[in-house]
Amino acid sequence: MRAASSPACLSPLLLCLCVLQRSFGTPSPPSPTFIHNQTKLPDGDKDSHHRPKRGWIWNQFFVLEEHFGPDAQYVGKLHSNSDKGDGSVQYLLSGEGAGNIFTINELTGDIHAKKSLDREKKSHYVLHARAVDRFTNRAVEPESEFIIKVQDVNDNAPKFPDGPFSASVPEMADIGTSVFQITATDADDPTYGNSAKIVYSILQGQPFFTIDPKTGVIRTALPNMDRETREMYSVIIQAKDMAGSVGGLSGSTTVNISLTDVNDNPPRFPQKNYQLYVPESSQVGKAVGKIKANDEDLGVNAEMTYRITNEEGAAMFSISTDSDKREGIISLRKPLDYEKKKAYSLNIEGVNTHLDPRFSYLGPFKDTTTLKLIIGDVDEAPVFTMDYYIMDVYENAPAGTVVGMVTAQDPDSTRSKVRYSIDQNAEGDALFSIDVDSGLVTTTKSLDREEVAWHNITVMASEIDNPNLVSYVPVTVQVLDVNDNAPYIATDSALVVCEGSKAGQVIQTIRTTDKDNFANGRFTFALPEDLPVNPNFTLKDNEVPHVVTQITLISSLPLLFLLFF
């Protein structure tokens, strides 16, 4: 820019922004921040008159967001003190939004926003301003950068983007126990005014819970909140901006709060007396019934153990806990006999296994009941007087000889008559018979001990009134020996005696056998009387059963003799 002839023309140009503050119920913008932008003089110009340097001087530009109306929103004014109002100075605008959002009056420097802006989408715009001589197109002021900030208005309500929420707190918790912290978001400017200053409150959920208005921490407000009375609470939380003042925007969400269980309820049997039917045929070790104490708690807090406290009941029955640790399973320890005892009484105790000492004052955490077991009479099979029988009979006895007797009785009170028979599938069924009424066992043929000394049979006993009820008993029959077998020398033998044999020398030992047993198998040895006496040999009986006799040489022999027996 060339020097003007008037000293006034030598003064620096001043570019001013006049910001129009409209009344929208929002706080005033921050105090202006002035920026001084020094500009070099053109080459050849000397500061011989000590003129001050030219430069841009302005404060920040602000435009109100969400402006709606028929007219464009006034932003501010660019002005140069070189502008004498004759239209020679032209103001130019470039940068973000220049032309389509922000327009400038080239003659007056007035800046308008012709569109409604949203601070939450874009909070500021960077633009460049120039002032040129309309006729020469030379710069009156150099180009410089400035920023237009979008001023916030309260156009966004608080939100809970992650809601609804779920939380839990133990039942019976103390007042003031922290449950959950909730946080709302507000898209408005947190650094400007109260548009994003949130206050929390409870719309639904009192008097059970409270919320800290600043932190959003939800706490219990009542003591002894009982899960068994009410388990779930739907708490509606409101977040309001403008610090909660009238006219602020608000949003809400739901926090579903559940009470978790603690062991605050002892077990209780629904009845103090129970009765259970148990047939006497129940098997030892098998379950005969169940019993259960109710507990309003959940999970491990409701687990319990059972025991039989009276001696008689514990001797005959046992009780254990099922897999869920809720029911008591009663099992039989010993066989039942209706004819001996028709009823048993069990004193049963149920006790919680996981106690919480905080709630011991609500105890004791156990309960008792009485269970009467009625033993049912069952038509049982006959019972033999012995577990097995051993009988005997002499061999060679004629058919029909009595061997022995078995006895069985109906254990039931009816005492039904018993019939006997021999199991046809068992060994020895063709050799013996049994009287169907008396149980007398007899032979059907003569027996030989030397063929079979022992016989095993199975006797069956059944009730006449119920033939399907059958009992079995093993019977062993021993065949006794009689002396019905002669001694036996297995083979004839030829004896060879050498001529040099000496007198008294044993030349042969003879062995024999007898099929009878040791009592009937004793015998003696002797030479037959119908044979001539041989002076050269003697026969000695050793008097040992089944064993030996010795032939001995009396005198020496000149020749070889053959001795035959």
Side-chain angles (χ1 to χ4, degrees):
M1 179 182 293
R2 290 179 298 177
S5 58
S6 171
C9 295
L10 297 176
S11 63
L13 296 175
L14 179 63
L15 178 62
C16 299
L17 171 64
C18 298
V19 179
L20 178 62
Q21 179 62 47
R22 301 181 184 271
S23 176
F24 287 98
T26 58
S28 300
S31 300
T33 301
F34 294 95
I35 303 171
H36 192 90
N37 187 1
Q38 297 289 346
T39 306
K40 287 185 178 180
L41 296 173
D43 292 341
D45 286 356
K46 304 297 183 181
D47 192 14
S48 58
H49 298 88
H50 304 287
R51 294 174 300 177
K53 296 179 180 179
R54 297 193 304 269
W56 294 98
I57 299 176
W58 58 62
N59 59 359
Q60 288 184 343
F61 291 80
F62 290 91
V63 60
L64 200 65
E65 70 167 331
E66 303 295 348
H67 172 76
F68 296 97
D71 300 326
Q73 182 181 183
Y74 182 74
V75 178
K77 186 179 184 68
L78 292 176
H79 184 71
S80 172
N81 59 3
S82 298
D83 186 357
K84 302 185 182 310
D86 58 1
S88 61
V89 177
Q90 182 181 10
Y91 298 98
L92 302 175
L93 197 64
S94 63
E96 294 180 332
N100 60 340
I101 297 177
F102 302 103
T103 61
I104 188 169
N105 188 309
E106 295 181 352
L107 295 178
T108 65
D110 291 324
I111 301 174
H112 288 82
K114 64 179 184 179
K115 292 183 178 180
S116 177
L117 302 180
D118 187 350
R119 188 201 67 84
E120 286 71 44
K121 292 183 178 179
K122 189 170 179 63
S123 61
H124 67 276
Y125 295 83
V126 179
L127 294 100
H128 299 84
R130 289 190 303 147
V132 300
D133 188 300
R134 181 182 301 278
F135 303 107
T136 64
N137 204 32
R138 295 184 62 185
V140 175
E141 295 292 346
E143 179 180 306
S144 187
E145 181 181 279
F146 67 95
I147 295 174
I148 297 178
K149 287 188 174 181
V150 182
Q151 184 177 335
D152 185 48
V153 296
N154 189 20
D155 60 340
N156 289 279
K159 294 181 179 180
F160 297 92
D162 299 325
F165 303 90
S166 296
S168 62
V169 64
E171 63 173 332
M172 311 296 286
D174 295 334
I175 294 177
T177 301
S178 177
V179 179
F180 189 70
Q181 183 173 19
I182 196 166
T183 301
T185 60
D186 194 313
D188 292 322
D189 189 355
T191 64
Y192 179 67
N194 292 328
S195 296
K197 188 173 183 180
I198 296 173
V199 172
Y200 299 96
S201 62
I202 292 182
L203 298 181
Q204 175 184 303
Q206 295 174 328
F208 307 103
F209 300 94
T210 62
I211 189 169
D212 188 297
K214 294 182 179 180
T215 63
V217 175
I218 302 172
R219 300 180 184 275
T220 57
L222 290 180
N224 302 326
M225 296 176 67
D226 190 5
R227 183 198 66 83
E228 288 72 36
T229 302
R230 181 177 177 182
E231 183 176 3
M232 184 66 67
Y233 296 83
S234 292
V235 180
I236 299 178
I237 303 297
Q238 182 189 70
K240 191 174 184 180
D241 61 18
M242 297 302 293
S245 62
V246 177
L249 303 177
S250 64
S252 63
T253 190
T254 299
V255 182
N256 294 311
I257 301 175
S258 61
L259 299 184
T260 57
D261 188 60
V262 299
N263 190 8
D264 60 338
N265 291 279
R268 289 289 180 263
F269 287 103
Q271 301 173 208
K272 285 302 179 182
N273 293 280
Y274 292 89
Q275 188 167 295
L276 179 65
Y277 173 83
V278 180
E280 64 174 330
S281 59
S282 299
Q283 296 182 17
V284 173
K286 299 296 184 180
V288 296
K290 296 181 180 180
I291 196 167
K292 181 182 179 183
N294 295 331
D295 193 318
E296 294 181 351
D297 296 320
L298 300 175
V300 296
N301 296 320
E303 292 180 1
M304 65 187 72
T305 57
Y306 297 89
R307 70 186 187 98
I308 300 172
T309 58
N310 62 316
E311 184 176 350
E312 182 191 47
M316 286 296 296
F317 299 89
S318 64
I319 189 168
S320 60
T321 310
D322 68 350
S323 58
D324 293 332
K325 300 182 179 179
R326 295 293 188 91
E327 288 186 324
I329 301 175
I330 302 167
S331 301
L332 189 61
R333 285 184 183 272
K334 298 178 181 179
L336 298 173
D337 189 343
Y338 170 83
E339 285 69 34
K340 291 182 179 180
K341 192 172 180 61
K342 295 177 173 56
Y344 291 89
S345 182
L346 307 184
N347 296 333
I348 299 176
E349 180 182 72
V351 183
N352 273 151
T353 54
H354 300 280
L355 301 180
D356 192 329
R358 295 176 300 168
F359 308 107
S360 59
Y361 67 93
L362 299 173
F365 284 79
K366 61 182 179 180
D367 195 20
T368 59
T369 190
T370 300
L371 174 61
K372 185 176 183 181
L373 293 100
I374 307 300
I375 309 305
D377 187 20
V378 176
D379 193 4
E380 301 174 86
V383 177
F384 285 96
T385 56
M386 300 178 64
D387 294 333
Y388 60 91
Y389 292 85
I390 298 178
M391 303 176 182
D392 53 59
V393 64
Y394 281 101
E395 65 176 330
N396 303 327
T401 301
V402 174
V403 178
M405 179 181 289
V406 298
T407 304
Q409 292 181 345
D410 179 10
D412 300 315
S413 59
T414 57
R415 299 300 182 187
S416 297
K417 190 175 181 180
V418 176
R419 297 180 65 88
Y420 301 94
S421 61
I422 293 178
D423 187 357
Q424 297 301 316
N425 297 319
E427 178 186 358
D429 58 292
L431 301 177
F432 302 93
S433 65
I434 189 169
D435 187 275
V436 295
D437 296 318
S438 66
L440 191 68
V441 180
T442 58
T443 60
T444 59
K445 61 178 64 176
S446 179
L447 304 178
D448 187 353
R449 188 198 69 85
E450 286 69 43
E451 290 183 2
V452 179
W454 296 86
H455 295 273
N456 295 313
I457 62 176
T458 300
V459 175
M460 302 184 298
S462 61
E463 294 182 16
I464 294 178
D465 296 337
N466 190 352
N468 293 324
L469 292 176
V470 181
S471 295
Y472 298 84
V473 69
V475 177
T476 300
V477 179
Q478 180 184 11
V479 181
L480 302 178
D481 186 52
V482 296
N483 191 11
D484 59 344
N485 289 280
Y488 172 74
I489 299 175
T491 59
D492 294 336
S493 58
L495 301 181
V496 178
V497 182
C498 297
E499 62 178 339
S501 298
K502 297 178 179 181
Q505 180 177 346
V506 176
I507 60 175
Q508 181 67 39
T509 299
I510 299 173
R511 296 177 181 274
T512 186
T513 60
D514 193 317
K515 292 182 180 181
D516 295 322
N517 63 13
F518 69 93
N520 296 316
R522 301 182 66 89
F523 48 84
T524 60
F525 293 87
L527 294 175
E529 294 180 355
D530 56 344
L531 294 179
V533 178
N534 190 327
N536 295 310
F537 299 94
T538 62
L539 180 68
K540 181 180 180 181
D541 185 358
N542 288 333
E543 298 181 352
V544 178
H546 295 282
V547 189
V548 303
T549 188
Q550 294 177 343
I551 300 175
T552 306
L553 183 65
I554 296 176
S555 61
S556 299
L557 298 176
L559 297 174
L560 178 64
F561 291 92
L562 293 180
L563 180 63
F564 296 95
F565 290 93

